[in-house]
Amino acid sequence: MDGAWSAAAVRRAESQLMAQLPPGTLMQRAAAGLATECASILRSQRRKRGTAGVYGATVIVLAGPGDNGGDALFAAARLARRGARVFAVPVMGERVHPVAAAALTRAGGRLVATPPRHCDLLLDGVLGIGGRPGLPGRAIDQLAAIDADTIVAVDVPSGVDVDTGAVPGSAVTADVTVAFGSRKPCHVLGRAALLVGRLVLVDIGLGPYLDPHPAVRVADDGDLSAWWHEPGPEDDKFTRGVVGVAAGSERYPGAAVLATSGALAGPSGYVRYAGTAAEYVRRRHPEVVCTHEVKEAGRVQAWLAGPGFGTDEAALAELRHVLESPAPVVLDADALTLIGEYPSVLSQREAPVVLTPHDREYERLYGSPPAEDRGAAAAALAKRLNCTVLLKGHHTVVASSDGEVWANPTGRPQLATAGSGDVLAGFMASLLASGMPGAKAAVAAAYLHGLAGGIAGAGHRTVTASDVARALPLAVGATLTAAETPAKRP
């Protein structure tokens, strides 16, 4: 498990580490890692044009007065010593980090008010983790005037809210963000995460000093492998887990088919379907045992209820039957609408519940739309309803009722397609049925669903929910294999 740490937590860790090091060491570590990544970017992009690497490249630094600007200037000095043409623009009056600015000029770089209009690489060193959201006017003007082949943000894209991922004003849109020591919440949450580009982590030695409980948790292949139930020689289809799917209707039979497709892609050994789209499910999935009502389905280890089954009295009755079960439940789509209208149906529920709202469904459940602090929004709903909440979006957030927040690192735009959520919900229910706890099942489902979207979309411009369902077993296999033979995912 990895994570993202708040600005205050990072500051505490930096303070403890700096007390053990000679003055300036930490900044030099950061600058060295940043310069190395910038040099790699320059070599790659200039090689495509048949030119040299760092030598002769044009680099512009937008430098604020704080340590973030200092990191950028020290890194730029290293590039200047390798032959890059470096121009640094102070964006808050004439204030810059004095020692770093002196290092840059000694290396041949220049402090200028007006840089060239084009550069190979622009370094965003305006604001760091201590900066307020929003950009100073001069930085906005410079960003508009400069045509940069690549923009590299130093630690965080300037202008974002570091701890919430909110973007209340102007902010830098980076191609690459080089982060020091750890992820910050803005790297994985909210609109800010869309501005990060490719994230590169530079180890500066903070690890032993970081709080063991990050503000936001981020799963990896190893986590999913540890949580996954591999069937043993004594297992049978029942002990692997039986998942029940209450979904679909005569009007929306596809929701039933897609939800059962997701369930079949998971680790459970038996899928039961209950609903009026049984004939469609039988045709597509003969291995699924079908009935027309929840009370006829038999015992299950987890239920999914909601996708496409309507919001009328009959649907409400089926939802009540599902919630009477002692098994964990995933509530999606129409079930969320019914919960919003009849919140009392959850009041007596003691077994685990996972809710999977998008923003409009969240508003129906909570009474107001999620704020830009999506982690806090998901946690607030989870606490109010005593459940796990998977708040959908390009960067999906999972929150448990005890306040633990997870950000999914595998989201991608291709998943914004009709029926994709039905597949996700069915897959999640299968994870619950296999014995995975609610929050972990939600985290694992989002993670693997995102990877499946990438697999399904490889080489294609369009992806359907059926494509994602077919790719889920491949995503599972790739993840478990990667956990056995660790390697960085490209």
Side-chain angles (χ1 to χ4, degrees):
M1 186 272 296
D2 200 348
W5 279 261
S6 69
V10 172
R11 288 292 195 207
R12 287 194 297 270
E14 288 177 340
S15 178
Q16 294 174 42
L17 176 56
M18 285 190 290
Q20 312 299 318
L21 300 172
T25 302
L26 202 60
M27 184 171 283
Q28 291 301 328
R29 287 181 181 178
L34 176 60
T36 298
E37 180 60 28
C38 289
S40 176
I41 292 169
L42 289 170
R43 284 195 300 270
S44 176
Q45 71 182 29
R46 302 188 82 224
R47 188 182 302 120
K48 295 175 183 177
R49 304 189 207 123
T51 57
V54 176
Y55 187 86
T58 300
V59 176
I60 296 175
V61 182
L62 298 185
D67 287 349
N68 188 259
D71 294 333
L73 291 170
F74 273 125
R78 290 171 180 261
L79 297 175
R81 287 197 293 271
R82 297 178 63 173
R85 298 170 60 243
V86 179
F87 304 87
V89 183
V91 293
M92 295 184 186
E94 298 303 315
R95 293 180 298 145
V96 290
H97 191 286
V99 179
L104 176 64
T105 55
R106 285 197 302 272
R110 288 194 286 162
L111 294 176
V112 299
T114 305
R117 294 190 60 83
H118 175 268
C119 65
D120 297 287
L121 186 145
L122 184 147
L123 267 175
D124 161 32
V126 180
L127 298 169
I129 62 174
R132 294 180 179 178
L135 286 173
R138 192 173 183 194
I140 296 173
D141 294 340
Q142 291 291 349
L143 284 166
I146 298 169
D147 173 27
D149 290 341
T150 302
I151 297 178
V152 177
V154 179
D155 209 19
V156 299
S158 293
V160 305
D161 188 313
V162 174
D163 286 342
T164 70
V167 187
S170 298
V172 171
T173 300
D175 298 297
V176 179
T177 296
V178 179
F180 306 131
S182 74
R183 287 185 178 98
K184 286 73 182 177
C186 63
H187 294 145
V188 294
L189 289 179
R191 287 200 296 138
L194 302 176
L195 308 182
V196 168
R198 178 170 60 87
L199 182 66
V200 177
L201 289 174
V202 172
D203 183 5
I204 58 173
L206 283 189
Y209 302 93
L210 287 168
D211 189 314
H213 305 289
V216 181
R217 297 172 182 267
V218 181
D220 58 25
D221 293 341
D223 293 316
L224 269 68
S225 178
W227 302 342
W228 196 266
H229 174 68
E230 287 283 3
E234 302 301 317
D235 273 315
D236 58 35
K237 61 188 177 185
F238 296 106
T239 61
R240 289 182 59 192
V242 181
V243 58
V245 176
S249 59
E250 293 181 2
R251 185 178 182 185
Y252 298 113
V257 173
L258 291 169
T260 51
S261 296
L264 288 166
S268 61
Y270 198 127
V271 178
R272 302 184 190 271
Y273 171 78
T276 56
E279 188 56 38
Y280 295 90
V281 174
R282 286 193 192 98
R283 284 186 216 155
R284 187 71 171 268
H285 301 302
E287 60 269 63
V288 176
V289 176
C290 298
T291 59
H292 289 283
E293 295 182 343
V294 169
K295 62 185 179 183
E296 299 172 351
R299 178 174 293 184
V300 302
Q301 275 73 57
W303 273 105
L304 160 64
F309 80 174
T311 56
D312 57 13
E313 289 295 326
L316 179 59
E318 288 293 87
L319 177 59
R320 291 184 187 277
H321 283 308
V322 167
L323 292 174
E324 288 168 1
S325 164
V329 171
V330 177
L331 299 181
D332 183 54
D334 288 338
L336 300 177
T337 299
L338 289 170
I339 293 296
E341 294 180 9
Y342 307 98
S344 62
V345 299
L346 276 182
S347 61
Q348 302 302 315
R349 176 76 181 174
E350 295 183 0
V353 175
V354 182
L355 308 181
T356 61
H358 52 60
D359 284 16
R360 294 181 299 281
E361 291 165 338
Y362 179 100
E363 184 173 3
R364 290 197 285 271
L365 292 167
Y366 196 74
S368 59
E372 284 217 64
D373 187 346
R374 295 179 69 80
L381 181 59
K383 183 177 180 181
R384 176 182 291 185
L385 298 181
N386 190 32
C387 62
T388 295
V389 171
L390 183 148
L391 180 56
K392 297 175 185 174
H394 181 71
H395 287 80
T396 291
V397 177
V398 174
S400 59
S401 58
D402 63 4
E404 187 175 82
V405 175
W406 296 75
N408 178 51
T410 67
R412 57 197 71 234
Q414 296 99 315
L415 293 171
T417 186
S420 175
D422 303 339
V423 174
L424 171 65
F427 185 67
M428 193 186 313
S430 182
L431 296 174
L432 284 172
S434 75
M436 198 177 290
K440 291 179 178 178
V443 171
Y447 186 98
L448 291 164
H449 188 250
L451 293 182
I455 292 170
H460 304 283
R461 290 185 177 271
T462 59
V463 173
T464 68
S466 295
D467 296 331
V468 176
R470 285 190 290 270
L472 270 169
L474 299 176
V476 172
T479 297
L480 299 184
T481 299
E484 293 170 1
T485 55
K488 288 187 177 180
R489 188 182 299 282

